[in-house]
Amino acid sequence: MINPKQCRAARAWLGWSQDDLAERAKCARRTIAAFEQEKSVPFDRTLRDIQKALEDAGITFLMAGARGIGLREGRDNSGNA
């Protein structure tokens, strides 16, 4: 699953606020804020919802084992970036 740095970077890449991500992931903004500030880790289901919201917007997370190492903008179904 994603880490706080990836979450912040993905939001920045998309130009989303914490409120935007919270709305799309159907969770509280304070959940996003605490996660990104590394003050808490959301429940697994919430973390999956956050990651899915970002992936649905075109972000691809690059993982190495249990530790996330990066992200990239994905391609849409037509093959465009």
Side-chain angles (χ1 to χ4, degrees), residues 5 8 12 14 23 26 43 62 72 78 81:
K5 291 177 185 175
R8 287 191 304 269
L14 295 168
E23 180 179 329
K26 296 179 176 46
F43 291 113
L62 308 176
R72 68 177 175 184
S78 67

Side-chain angles (χ1 to χ4, degrees), residues 1-11 21 31-42 47-48 50-52 54-55 59-71:
M1 284 196 241
I2 65 171
N3 65 40
K5 291 177 185 175
Q6 286 176 311
C7 188
R8 287 191 304 269
R11 269 195 322 98
L21 177 54
T31 300
I32 305 292
F35 176 56
E36 290 185 351
Q37 294 168 8
E38 301 183 38
K39 292 182 177 178
S40 70
V41 177
L47 200 51
R48 282 191 301 270
I50 292 168
Q51 182 171 335
K52 184 175 182 331
L54 294 166
E55 289 173 340
I59 298 296
T60 300
F61 293 96
L62 308 176
M63 305 293 186
R67 182 182 166 140
I69 59 168
L71 59 96

